[in-house]
Amino acid sequence: MARYTRTRSGGHLKVPQYNLTREEARRRSSLVDVSSYENTLILTGVGESFRVRSRIRFTATPESTTFIDAITASVERIRLNGLDLETSEVVSPSRITLPGLAAENELTIDAHFSYMNTGEGLHRFIDPIDDEVYLYSQFEVPDARRVFPVFEQPDLKAPFSFTVVAPSRWTVVSNSPTPTPGDPSEVFTELDEAPVDDTAVWQFAPTTPISSYITAIVAGPYRSVHSELTSSDGSPVPLGLYCRDSLFEHLDAENLFGITRAGFEFYEREFGVSYPFEKYDQLFVPEFNAGAMENAGAVTILENYVFRSRPTEALVERRTVTVLHELAHMWFGDLVTMKWWNDLWLNESFAEFMSTLATAEATEYSDAWTTFATIEKSWAYRQDQLPSTHPIVASIEDLADVEVNFDGITYAKGASVLKQLVAWVGREEFFAGLRRYFDKHAWSNTELPDLLSELEATSGRDLASWSKLWLEESGVNLIEAEVDTETDNDAEVVTELRVTQRPWIIEGQPVPSLRPHRLSIGFYSDNGQGRLVRTHSFPLDIDAESTTLDEARGLPKPDVIIVNDEDLTYAKVRFDHESMDVAAARLGDFDDSLTQLLILGTLWDAVRDGQRPAQDYIATVLDNCAAVTHSSGLLTQMRQLETAVGSYLPPESRAEAHTAVADRFAELLGSVPGGTDQAFQFLRGFIKHATTQEQLGQLQSWLDASGDLVHGITIDTDLTWELIIALAAHDAIDDSAITAMTKTDPSATGARQAATARSARPTSAAKSEAFTRILDEAELPNSELAALALGFASGLQTETGEILTSQAPLCDFSTEFFQRVSGWWETRTLEMAQTMTLRLFPPVSEHTVKATEGWLADHPAAPKGLVRLMRENLADAQRALNAQEVSSTSKGALTFGR
């Protein structure tokens, strides 16, 4: 357990992290069964804390002792079975000990809890436009205990009822339907609390039995729009959409309700189970740390999904997937919940798989699996090649393990493997098994065998071996194609095609087993009209080191052989060299977006592994991106292009590369139709890479024309900020221009963008100020800290590879980081500590690698989450250095139009 610190800075409590082990949870659930929670909260939105009175009824083993979780500002009274407990004897920083339990127990706790600004617990946000206060809860993994006393573990489900006193003009939303607010006098009297004028009380009915982490309280002057649908069982389900008043004009309710209706119909049909809750609200909230949270019947969503400026089509699709992901959780996670966090994947992998399936089959985004292959699977492959890789069913011994496990394996690899499982057992059999699973385990908790037994019953397959190889082992296989040919009548024909697989070995990790794969090998050749078309497709099952594809013998050798054509399996792949060269040079000649993106993904993976120079990827993308029309696929290439130039080229080569990339985007802007999504992304790409005085002058001219059209694209508020940040990153704009823009855009988003712009300046003064604010201003909310850190990292490394010098009293930034990072995990919450560890990590260099290795050697007992992130930072830095070395020795020049 972390050191308990009550030091204050800027009037705000520094809140450390507290642990709970699996063994403690197991022992507690063997003693306790919770009957109900009744929580009364006084939420005025002012001050540092709020009052809560909780009444918890539970059964227990007589004469046993256990504890309840509570991270409080103060505890006024604890009454157990009619007797007051001495707070000084039973209250510790995150727990309250409960001695001498009876068979039937009633516990009443009167306490104050702290408002948070970290996106955890009960987050408080003040809208700078109108000074209105907005509150929302975020409890996953262990943060309900920051709002009320609770047995904080998923298998102790119970009904929760909330009584909330708040300003009468506010809206209050929880898991149960929102009641009509009433007179709070009786509540004030019961609590012996002085009445507060202009308040009301909302008394929510008890929920069905649910886990504490999916309970929710959202309060403030939110505006809303409402609709209704009819569930498959004939019952009406009220729908609500909520956001801040200053964003309400941008809330596209018709689209969001349409996605929601499509999701309801799809899931109820496929699951065979009607929606399990009484209503479905979706609340777009500020400063949210994740994309969304599946609170039962009251989903909270990142308010960036309320588009105040033009989004890419990729972002609109991502919002669709996010909405459907959270809706899928109402069944996977809320109705049926994992017993402990090692089965977190039962929630997240299923929601990821189902949301992609629903997006592809129930919305306009029929190519959602192409997006999945491009974004989710690349995330999974990256995570699976880090030293922290783990099985999908991870070993979770305590909260410190799970809190950093919301990663590409738990989400994306798990969903990839589920897609394969559906193909193997059969779709009809798969969903028949899920129906049995929901019927048997509704409102309860499960483990992996509970699911597998139902799927085995409906499919007739033994899943033990499949589970061991795919769910219970970590790592990835590498699949390659090797082709032998001979000349026959002046034509080159295939004599043998071998498909091989081998484990991708990571130092310090178990060697992955060779897994069974069902994949396809695609032959592509020129059709005589300048297009590369698929001439043959060979389905193939492999489970050994090498398999010969007999059907290919005697066929004309194709121009390109695509391994894992159509993206059927989860594996790293390599093409033969000739196929890769042709595919990269002629990417635009493929008609299918998925094929294009599989080629680019394979090339990018080879660059990351140091098998090809970054210049190959950069040139391939810029030569061919006009042919990439899939928005999410193009956005992925734009992001990877930034990494290729900014991390995988040596520092001394980057300015020239940025210049060439920006020039190419300028050419592309003149060649694609104005106003299209492609044009929008190319314009943003130019802004990101502009480097020369001429290019920066172009940015300034666009900034001066703010509100006008540029290549058919309006320079709107967010695009204006992108221009300002890009100019500031080159110290090419006055601070007065940033200040002026904050007056034009006085929103919280505007304040964050201004913080990023000011900290992006490549000067010692700007970097030192940003770093000092992050360290010293504990009152900084999560979003502003992240904005400062984003700007701080921009331009921190010079063309010589050195880091900008810091100003006294700071040491150099690298030394400051390594000396301070452990302390952040003692005094900051998880979200803040993670952000600082990742965003303030020094730029890649030999010095950074050696310093990280030294830190890891000197801190073997550091918090597990911190050690994991530092090992990942080290692995990424080593990979980047290797890529730089390969790129620096490349004979190829960075030229386009090959």
Side-chain angles (χ1 to χ4, degrees):
M1 185 176 292
R3 180 169 56 87
Y4 185 63
T5 307
R6 281 196 176 272
T7 56
R8 293 180 181 270
S9 176
H12 286 251
L13 183 67
K14 288 187 175 181
V15 186
Q17 304 157 40
Y18 301 102
N19 208 353
L20 173 72
T21 70
R22 183 179 186 178
E23 182 53 38
E24 287 176 318
R26 184 184 291 119
R27 188 182 315 122
R28 184 164 62 178
S29 64
S30 72
L31 298 175
V32 170
D33 188 20
V34 187
S35 303
S36 66
Y37 291 91
E38 298 173 17
N39 296 305
T40 300
L41 300 88
I42 308 296
L43 301 178
T44 62
V46 299
E48 292 186 0
S49 64
F50 53 94
R51 184 178 176 186
V52 177
R53 176 174 288 180
S54 297
R55 180 179 290 109
I56 305 104
R57 294 182 174 90
F58 61 98
T59 61
T61 302
E63 301 304 321
S64 64
T65 295
T66 189
F67 62 91
I68 194 165
D69 304 283
I71 301 177
T72 63
S74 63
V75 178
E76 281 67 50
R77 189 180 187 186
I78 305 169
R79 192 168 180 82
L80 176 62
N81 297 330
L83 298 175
D84 284 337
L85 302 184
E86 180 58 53
T87 58
S88 63
E89 296 177 0
V90 298
V91 177
S92 61
S94 64
R95 300 177 177 185
I96 297 172
T97 301
L98 305 176
L101 296 174
E104 300 280 343
N105 300 274
E106 180 172 302
L107 172 67
T108 302
I109 298 176
D110 214 321
H112 281 75
F113 292 77
S114 297
Y115 290 112
M116 303 291 289
N117 66 353
T118 65
E120 301 149 291
L122 190 63
H123 183 90
R124 177 172 58 186
F125 169 83
I126 301 176
D127 192 331
I129 290 180
D130 53 21
D131 290 328
E132 293 283 10
V133 174
Y134 291 87
L135 307 175
Y136 67 87
S137 62
Q138 170 57 25
F139 293 156
E140 191 174 37
V141 174
D143 288 318
R145 58 186 176 161
R146 297 187 186 277
V147 178
F148 51 84
V150 61
F151 296 105
E152 186 88 279
Q153 57 191 78
D155 62 334
L156 288 178
K157 286 188 169 185
F160 289 80
S161 60
F162 294 100
T163 297
V164 179
V165 175
S168 55
R169 60 189 183 82
W170 280 14
T171 295
V172 181
V173 177
S174 187
N175 307 97
S176 298
T178 300
T180 301
D183 185 345
S185 300
E186 185 176 330
V187 176
F188 284 123
T189 299
E190 181 184 344
L191 297 181
D192 196 22
E193 181 97 9
V196 179
D197 292 339
D198 301 320
T199 57
V201 61
W202 287 258
Q203 294 180 307
F204 292 89
T207 67
T208 50
I210 57 177
S211 299
S212 58
Y213 77 92
I214 57 172
T215 58
I217 301 165
V218 182
Y222 290 89
R223 290 187 62 182
S224 61
V225 58
H226 297 268
S227 188
E228 188 176 273
L229 59 78
T230 301
S231 180
S232 59
D233 65 1
S235 61
V237 179
L239 306 177
L241 296 169
Y242 297 76
C243 71
R244 290 187 289 126
D245 181 65
S246 59
L247 273 179
F248 189 75
E249 64 178 299
H250 305 294
L251 183 66
D252 50 336
E254 183 177 351
N255 178 273
L256 289 163
F257 279 140
I259 297 166
T260 304
R261 292 176 190 280
F264 263 80
E265 182 179 351
F266 183 83
Y267 291 146
E268 290 190 328
R269 181 179 68 248
E270 297 296 335
F271 296 157
V273 178
S274 60
Y275 176 68
F277 300 101
E278 294 182 70
K279 51 91 175 179
Y280 194 67
D281 290 326
Q282 297 172 89
L283 304 106
F284 294 86
V285 297
E287 300 183 328
F288 201 63
N289 285 323
M293 177 61 206
E294 65 269 20
N295 310 308
V299 171
T300 43
I301 305 176
L302 178 73
E303 71 174 15
N304 295 32
Y305 283 133
V306 178
F307 304 127
R308 67 174 196 159
S309 294
R310 175 177 178 169
T312 60
E313 291 177 11
L315 185 58
V316 179
E317 181 186 7
R318 173 54 43 195
R319 183 179 72 172
T320 299
V321 175
T322 299
V323 167
L324 294 174
H325 179 108
E326 303 311 318
L327 181 57
H329 271 310
M330 298 301 110
W331 289 265
F332 281 106
D334 294 6
L335 175 63
V336 182
T337 312
M338 74 258 156
K339 187 173 183 179
W340 178 248
W341 298 102
N342 57 303
D343 281 315
L344 174 65
W345 81 281
L346 281 173
N347 288 9
E348 300 303 346
S349 296
F350 270 91
E352 197 77 1
F353 167 74
M354 288 304 307
S355 60
T356 304
L357 184 66
T359 301
E361 298 187 7
T363 77
E364 64 185 285
Y365 299 105
S366 57
D367 58 356
W369 286 113
T370 298
T371 300
F372 181 86
T374 306
I375 296 178
E376 272 75 19
K377 287 187 78 170
S378 63
W379 178 28
Y381 291 141
R382 176 190 174 276
Q383 193 79 48
D384 218 3
Q385 296 173 76
L386 287 169
S388 58
T389 185
H390 57 84
I392 294 172
V393 181
S395 175
I396 302 295
E397 296 306 320
D398 54 26
L399 296 180
D401 284 335
V402 70
E403 288 170 337
V404 290
N405 233 44
F406 289 79
D407 59 18
I409 294 173
T410 300
Y411 284 74
K413 181 180 179 180
S416 301
V417 169
L418 283 175
K419 184 184 178 187
Q420 295 171 212
L421 176 62
V422 173
W424 188 45
V425 304
R427 177 164 171 161
E428 183 177 339
E429 291 78 4
F430 177 79
F431 281 107
L434 292 190
R435 294 182 193 110
R436 289 168 56 108
Y437 176 74
F438 289 133
D439 287 343
K440 184 177 293 187
H441 301 290
W443 309 114
S444 63
N445 298 84
T446 60
E447 297 178 290
L448 173 61
D450 297 314
L451 174 67
L452 295 184
S453 65
E454 302 307 325
L455 295 177
E456 287 177 335
T458 54
S459 69
R461 291 186 180 271
D462 182 354
L463 297 180
S465 176
W466 178 88
S467 173
K468 179 181 182 300
L469 290 172
W470 283 107
L471 300 180
E472 298 166 53
E473 290 189 14
S474 63
V476 62
N477 300 146
L478 174 67
I479 299 178
E480 301 174 276
E482 301 172 354
V483 59
D484 296 332
T485 62
E486 65 181 12
T487 301
D488 184 8
N489 295 326
D490 296 327
E492 194 172 11
V493 298
V494 175
T495 57
E496 186 172 81
L497 179 62
R498 296 175 301 281
V499 180
T500 65
Q501 70 161 323
R502 57 186 171 89
W504 189 257
I505 297 174
I506 300 171
E507 185 178 354
Q509 284 287 340
V511 176
S513 299
L514 295 182
R515 296 184 171 107
H517 297 272
R518 182 163 185 80
L519 67 153
S520 180
I521 304 296
F523 278 18
Y524 290 77
S525 292
D526 194 295
N527 66 353
Q529 299 175 355
R531 309 301 297 170
L532 287 169
V533 299
R534 184 188 292 124
T535 58
H536 298 85
S537 180
F538 303 103
L540 182 66
D541 289 304
I542 63 171
D543 59 6
E545 291 184 7
S546 180
T547 302
T548 299
L549 190 61
D550 294 330
E551 297 94 323
R553 186 177 292 112
L555 292 175
K557 184 190 177 192
D559 294 320
V560 177
I561 299 174
I562 300 289
V563 181
N564 197 25
D565 197 25
E566 301 181 85
D567 191 47
L568 299 181
T569 195
Y570 175 86
K572 288 167 67 76
V573 300
R574 291 288 185 269
F575 305 165
D576 65 273
H577 288 294
E578 188 174 341
S579 289
M580 189 74 254
D581 288 343
V582 173
R586 298 187 59 183
L587 187 77
D589 294 337
F590 292 89
D591 293 324
D592 179 61
S593 291
L594 178 57
T595 304
Q596 291 178 333
L597 296 171
L598 288 175
I599 293 166
L600 286 170
T602 302
L603 176 59
W604 177 244
D605 191 51
V607 170
R608 293 184 74 247
D609 289 344
Q611 296 175 352
R612 280 184 175 257
Q615 292 93 328
D616 281 6
Y617 177 79
I618 296 168
T620 298
V621 169
L622 294 181
D623 272 352
N624 294 282
C625 61
V628 179
T629 57
H630 187 277
S631 182
S632 295
L634 181 57
L635 181 64
T636 297
Q637 309 317 312
M638 302 294 277
R639 290 171 175 170
Q640 291 173 178
L641 196 60
E642 290 179 40
T643 301
V645 174
S647 296
Y648 291 173
L649 291 180
E652 64 272 14
S653 302
R654 293 172 191 167
E656 180 184 358
H658 280 303
T659 299
V661 170
D663 282 343
R664 177 59 176 152
F665 282 134
E667 294 174 14
L668 289 166
L669 275 169
S671 66
V672 299
T676 60
D677 185 76
Q678 268 191 318
F680 183 43
Q681 294 205 45
F682 293 156
L683 179 69
R684 298 178 74 198
F686 181 89
I687 293 170
K688 177 66 69 173
H689 292 277
T691 300
T692 66
Q693 289 302 309
E694 180 181 358
Q695 291 169 346
L696 296 175
Q698 181 65 78
L699 299 190
Q700 185 63 57
S701 70
W702 290 343
L703 183 61
D704 293 340
S706 183
D708 293 345
L709 290 177
V710 174
H711 295 283
I713 298 159
T714 301
I715 305 298
D716 56 25
T717 302
D718 288 346
L719 208 50
T720 298
W721 276 118
E722 289 188 37
L723 289 166
I724 288 173
I725 291 169
L727 289 166
H730 291 276
D731 207 16
I733 192 170
D734 292 336
D735 192 71
S736 59
I738 300 175
T739 300
M741 185 58 191
T742 61
K743 294 178 180 177
T744 301
D745 176 22
S747 67
T749 302
R752 292 193 293 271
Q753 300 279 42
T756 298
R758 291 188 169 109
S759 59
R761 289 193 187 280
T763 65
S764 295
K767 302 303 183 188
S768 297
E769 181 182 353
F771 195 80
T772 300
R773 288 193 65 198
I774 291 170
L775 296 183
D776 293 347
E777 295 182 21
E779 71 274 14
L780 279 176
N782 54 340
S783 59
E784 189 172 355
L785 185 148
L788 282 168
L790 178 64
F792 170 79
S794 173
L796 185 60
Q797 189 175 38
T798 69
E799 292 183 15
T800 66
E802 301 297 318
I803 298 177
L804 286 173
T805 58
S806 58
Q807 292 185 335
L810 292 172
C811 301
D812 66 89
F813 293 120
S814 180
T815 299
E816 291 283 354
F817 175 87
F818 288 106
Q819 288 181 348
R820 293 176 180 269
V821 63
S822 295
W824 301 335
W825 287 71
E826 295 177 348
T827 60
R828 303 292 186 114
T829 65
L830 174 75
E831 290 291 345
M832 303 296 260
Q834 281 192 113
T835 298
M836 295 169 76
T837 303
L838 295 173
R839 298 284 183 90
L840 300 183
F841 186 73
V844 172
S845 68
E846 292 283 1
H847 175 270
T848 297
V849 167
K850 290 179 181 177
T852 309
E853 290 172 336
W855 186 94
L856 286 167
D858 293 341
H859 295 80
K864 288 189 288 186
L866 171 57
V867 170
R868 170 175 168 163
L869 294 184
M870 291 295 281
R871 291 178 65 211
E872 292 181 353
N873 282 341
L874 174 61
D876 286 340
Q878 290 171 326
R879 183 182 291 274
L881 277 183
N882 183 49
Q884 290 176 24
E885 182 178 355
V886 172
S887 297
S888 66
T889 58
S890 170
K891 296 180 180 179
L894 187 61
T895 57
F896 312 119
R898 296 174 299 175

